[in-house]
PDB file of all heavy atoms in Angstrom:
ATOM      1  N   LYS A  59     114.628 160.149  74.377  1.00  0.00           N
ATOM      2  CA  LYS A  59     113.507 159.484  73.717  1.00  0.00           C
ATOM      3  C   LYS A  59     113.681 157.971  73.814  1.00  0.00           C
ATOM      4  O   LYS A  59     114.706 157.428  73.433  1.00  0.00           O
ATOM      5  CB  LYS A  59     113.426 159.902  72.246  1.00  0.00           C
ATOM      6  CG  LYS A  59     113.100 161.374  72.070  1.00  0.00           C
ATOM      7  CD  LYS A  59     112.990 161.732  70.595  1.00  0.00           C
ATOM      8  CE  LYS A  59     112.658 163.210  70.412  1.00  0.00           C
ATOM      9  NZ  LYS A  59     112.538 163.566  68.967  1.00  0.00           N
ATOM     10  N   GLN A  60     112.695 157.276  74.315  1.00  0.00           N
ATOM     11  CA  GLN A  60     112.743 155.831  74.471  1.00  0.00           C
ATOM     12  C   GLN A  60     111.584 155.183  73.743  1.00  0.00           C
ATOM     13  O   GLN A  60     110.517 155.772  73.600  1.00  0.00           O
ATOM     14  CB  GLN A  60     112.677 155.441  75.959  1.00  0.00           C
ATOM     15  CG  GLN A  60     113.874 155.943  76.760  1.00  0.00           C
ATOM     16  CD  GLN A  60     113.781 155.525  78.212  1.00  0.00           C
ATOM     17  OE1 GLN A  60     112.756 155.068  78.656  1.00  0.00           O
ATOM     18  NE2 GLN A  60     114.873 155.678  78.937  1.00  0.00           N
ATOM     19  N   ALA A  61     111.865 153.971  73.256  1.00  0.00           N
ATOM     20  CA  ALA A  61     110.791 153.216  72.600  1.00  0.00           C
ATOM     21  C   ALA A  61     109.729 152.860  73.631  1.00  0.00           C
ATOM     22  O   ALA A  61     110.028 152.603  74.793  1.00  0.00           O
ATOM     23  CB  ALA A  61     111.342 151.938  71.972  1.00  0.00           C
ATOM     24  N   PRO A  62     108.469 152.848  73.219  1.00  0.00           N
ATOM     25  CA  PRO A  62     107.397 152.549  74.173  1.00  0.00           C
ATOM     26  C   PRO A  62     107.467 151.140  74.739  1.00  0.00           C
ATOM     27  O   PRO A  62     106.942 150.888  75.796  1.00  0.00           O
ATOM     28  CB  PRO A  62     106.122 152.745  73.331  1.00  0.00           C
ATOM     29  CG  PRO A  62     106.575 152.580  71.913  1.00  0.00           C
ATOM     30  CD  PRO A  62     107.968 153.108  71.883  1.00  0.00           C
ATOM     31  N   ARG A  63     108.121 150.182  74.039  1.00  0.00           N
ATOM     32  CA  ARG A  63     108.232 148.822  74.536  1.00  0.00           C
ATOM     33  C   ARG A  63     109.450 148.141  73.920  1.00  0.00           C
ATOM     34  O   ARG A  63     109.972 148.579  72.908  1.00  0.00           O
ATOM     35  CB  ARG A  63     106.983 148.011  74.208  1.00  0.00           C
ATOM     36  CG  ARG A  63     106.717 147.865  72.733  1.00  0.00           C
ATOM     37  CD  ARG A  63     105.443 147.081  72.499  1.00  0.00           C
ATOM     38  NE  ARG A  63     105.189 146.932  71.071  1.00  0.00           N
ATOM     39  CZ  ARG A  63     104.144 146.275  70.576  1.00  0.00           C
ATOM     40  NH1 ARG A  63     103.286 145.708  71.377  1.00  0.00           N
ATOM     41  NH2 ARG A  63     103.967 146.193  69.271  1.00  0.00           N
ATOM     42  N   VAL A  64     109.851 147.067  74.537  1.00  0.00           N
ATOM     43  CA  VAL A  64     110.995 146.283  74.057  1.00  0.00           C
ATOM     44  C   VAL A  64     110.466 145.028  73.396  1.00  0.00           C
ATOM     45  O   VAL A  64     109.656 144.302  73.978  1.00  0.00           O
ATOM     46  CB  VAL A  64     111.937 145.920  75.218  1.00  0.00           C
ATOM     47  CG1 VAL A  64     113.085 145.066  74.716  1.00  0.00           C
ATOM     48  CG2 VAL A  64     112.461 147.182  75.883  1.00  0.00           C
ATOM     49  N   GLU A  65     110.933 144.747  72.167  1.00  0.00           N
ATOM     50  CA  GLU A  65     110.508 143.564  71.443  1.00  0.00           C
ATOM     51  C   GLU A  65     111.558 142.469  71.588  1.00  0.00           C
ATOM     52  O   GLU A  65     112.727 142.690  71.332  1.00  0.00           O
ATOM     53  CB  GLU A  65     110.299 143.876  69.954  1.00  0.00           C
ATOM     54  CG  GLU A  65     109.180 144.873  69.715  1.00  0.00           C
ATOM     55  CD  GLU A  65     108.935 145.101  68.237  1.00  0.00           C
ATOM     56  OE1 GLU A  65     109.592 144.412  67.416  1.00  0.00           O
ATOM     57  OE2 GLU A  65     108.109 145.949  67.897  1.00  0.00           O
ATOM     58  N   HIS A  66     111.139 141.293  72.003  1.00  0.00           N
ATOM     59  CA  HIS A  66     112.026 140.143  72.125  1.00  0.00           C
ATOM     60  C   HIS A  66     111.785 139.234  70.929  1.00  0.00           C
ATOM     61  O   HIS A  66     110.786 138.523  70.872  1.00  0.00           O
ATOM     62  CB  HIS A  66     111.759 139.397  73.434  1.00  0.00           C
ATOM     63  CG  HIS A  66     112.030 140.225  74.652  1.00  0.00           C
ATOM     64  ND1 HIS A  66     113.305 140.401  75.159  1.00  0.00           N
ATOM     65  CD2 HIS A  66     111.205 140.963  75.443  1.00  0.00           C
ATOM     66  CE1 HIS A  66     113.250 141.178  76.225  1.00  0.00           C
ATOM     67  NE2 HIS A  66     111.992 141.540  76.414  1.00  0.00           N
ATOM     68  N   LYS A  67     112.695 139.296  69.954  1.00  0.00           N
ATOM     69  CA  LYS A  67     112.544 138.502  68.744  1.00  0.00           C
ATOM     70  C   LYS A  67     113.234 137.158  68.917  1.00  0.00           C
ATOM     71  O   LYS A  67     114.348 137.082  69.418  1.00  0.00           O
ATOM     72  CB  LYS A  67     113.152 139.236  67.542  1.00  0.00           C
ATOM     73  CG  LYS A  67     112.456 140.553  67.241  1.00  0.00           C
ATOM     74  CD  LYS A  67     113.063 141.226  66.019  1.00  0.00           C
ATOM     75  CE  LYS A  67     112.344 142.532  65.710  1.00  0.00           C
ATOM     76  NZ  LYS A  67     112.935 143.200  64.522  1.00  0.00           N
ATOM     77  N   PRO A  68     112.602 136.069  68.510  1.00  0.00           N
ATOM     78  CA  PRO A  68     113.230 134.747  68.642  1.00  0.00           C
ATOM     79  C   PRO A  68     114.436 134.616  67.748  1.00  0.00           C
ATOM     80  O   PRO A  68     114.467 135.147  66.635  1.00  0.00           O
ATOM     81  CB  PRO A  68     112.113 133.780  68.206  1.00  0.00           C
ATOM     82  CG  PRO A  68     111.214 134.614  67.341  1.00  0.00           C
ATOM     83  CD  PRO A  68     111.259 136.007  67.906  1.00  0.00           C
ATOM     84  N   VAL A  69     115.464 133.938  68.234  1.00  0.00           N
ATOM     85  CA  VAL A  69     116.685 133.698  67.456  1.00  0.00           C
ATOM     86  C   VAL A  69     116.427 132.574  66.460  1.00  0.00           C
ATOM     87  O   VAL A  69     115.887 131.525  66.810  1.00  0.00           O
ATOM     88  CB  VAL A  69     117.855 133.322  68.371  1.00  0.00           C
ATOM     89  CG1 VAL A  69     119.111 133.062  67.564  1.00  0.00           C
ATOM     90  CG2 VAL A  69     118.084 134.422  69.399  1.00  0.00           C
ATOM     91  N   ALA A  70     116.808 132.807  65.201  1.00  0.00           N
ATOM     92  CA  ALA A  70     116.566 131.805  64.155  1.00  0.00           C
ATOM     93  C   ALA A  70     117.402 130.557  64.405  1.00  0.00           C
ATOM     94  O   ALA A  70     118.558 130.634  64.807  1.00  0.00           O
ATOM     95  CB  ALA A  70     116.901 132.389  62.786  1.00  0.00           C
ATOM     96  N   GLU A  71     116.799 129.406  64.182  1.00  0.00           N
ATOM     97  CA  GLU A  71     117.499 128.126  64.328  1.00  0.00           C
ATOM     98  C   GLU A  71     118.474 127.925  63.179  1.00  0.00           C
ATOM     99  O   GLU A  71     118.133 128.182  62.022  1.00  0.00           O
ATOM    100  CB  GLU A  71     116.479 126.977  64.320  1.00  0.00           C
ATOM    101  CG  GLU A  71     115.704 126.850  65.615  1.00  0.00           C
ATOM    102  CD  GLU A  71     116.492 126.095  66.660  1.00  0.00           C
ATOM    103  OE1 GLU A  71     117.362 125.299  66.289  1.00  0.00           O
ATOM    104  OE2 GLU A  71     116.223 126.316  67.854  1.00  0.00           O
TER     105      GLU A  71
END
Side-chain angles (χ1 to χ4, degrees):
K59 295 182 180 180
Q60 296 181 348
R63 62 182 180 179
V64 178
E65 296 184 4
H66 297 279
K67 297 182 179 180
V69 179
E71 285 278 335

